[in-house]
Amino acid sequence: MTETQQEKELQEDQKILKILSFKKIAVVGMSDNPEKPSNRVPKYLMTQGYKIIPVNPTKEEIMGLKSYKSLREVDEEIDVVDVFRRPEQALEVVKEAIERKKERGDIKAIWLQEGIVNDEAKKLAEENGILFVQDRCMFREHLRLREELQKIQR
């Protein structure tokens, strides 16, 4: 691995640690099916002290939590938008998050889960001052960086 690759990975880890230090996560596309990652990942994050806000227009409630139809409808503060949607749908979620950030000033980061890549969404988010991660699992990254995260949070 070249020094440049190592530097890039270190920078990415620092960004991920910063995002994981935020505690209020809106999960777009959260499922009520315990077999799906879009249910298992937020459930794990809840056990780690994160406040999870389900966003799914087809559900009233998920895991005993009120589910919102869109990011705009969420009345509480959001730090991170965790996206479980197809790559072609991610851009619309990012646009909605940017509008909300302009109106409310609360969204600091957007995370596209593993398998979800949308470079147009990435460019737009970053141009609007939002930290952005794509094609990574928040659950796995939390496990991988848990010790570092605990040092930061002390």
Side-chain angles (χ1 to χ4, degrees):
M1 186 181 305
T2 68
E3 192 172 326
T4 311
Q5 286 172 311
Q6 285 178 322
E7 286 173 10
K8 282 182 181 176
E9 284 188 22
L10 185 59
Q11 287 174 350
E12 188 72 5
D13 280 356
Q14 292 305 312
K15 178 171 60 172
I16 289 169
L17 281 167
K18 184 170 185 161
I19 294 170
L20 290 173
S21 73
F22 301 140
K23 291 297 182 186
K24 298 175 203 110
I25 304 173
V27 183
V28 177
M30 187 167 166
S31 174
D32 61 353
N33 180 344
E35 301 299 312
K36 291 189 170 186
S38 54
N39 179 280
R40 290 193 316 264
V41 171
K43 184 180 278 186
Y44 166 79
L45 293 171
M46 282 174 66
T47 69
Q48 300 304 305
Y50 292 91
K51 174 161 182 51
I52 298 299
I53 305 161
V55 179
N56 183 327
T58 67
K59 304 292 176 196
E60 294 292 317
E61 188 178 278
I62 301 173
M63 293 191 312
L65 304 170
K66 176 182 168 132
S67 179
Y68 296 88
K69 295 190 181 331
S70 69
L71 291 172
R72 282 186 294 282
E73 286 188 14
V74 177
D75 39 9
E76 52 199 298
E77 187 177 328
I78 298 171
D79 295 325
V80 180
V81 177
D82 186 17
V83 183
F84 285 91
R85 304 294 303 149
R86 283 187 237 113
E88 62 273 14
Q89 296 170 329
L91 183 60
E92 286 308 310
V93 175
V94 169
K95 287 177 180 177
E96 184 183 6
I98 290 167
E99 285 307 307
R100 181 184 166 103
K101 180 184 168 98
K102 287 177 182 174
E103 292 168 13
R104 306 267 303 264
D106 63 346
I107 294 175
K108 300 175 184 106
I110 296 171
W111 187 298
L112 304 188
Q113 282 293 137
E114 190 172 19
I116 306 168
V117 176
N118 188 312
D119 291 329
E120 189 179 350
K122 178 182 194 296
K123 182 177 185 283
L124 192 59
E126 289 174 345
E127 285 172 352
N128 282 276
I130 299 173
L131 296 170
F132 192 89
V133 169
Q134 63 182 350
D135 196 22
R136 289 186 183 248
C137 176
M138 196 177 261
F139 168 78
R140 286 193 191 121
E141 293 301 314
H142 186 273
L143 285 176
R144 182 175 72 84
L145 297 170
R146 187 168 40 197
E147 286 181 21
E148 282 297 312
L149 192 59
Q150 287 170 347
K151 289 177 194 171
I152 293 170
Q153 294 176 337
R154 283 190 192 137

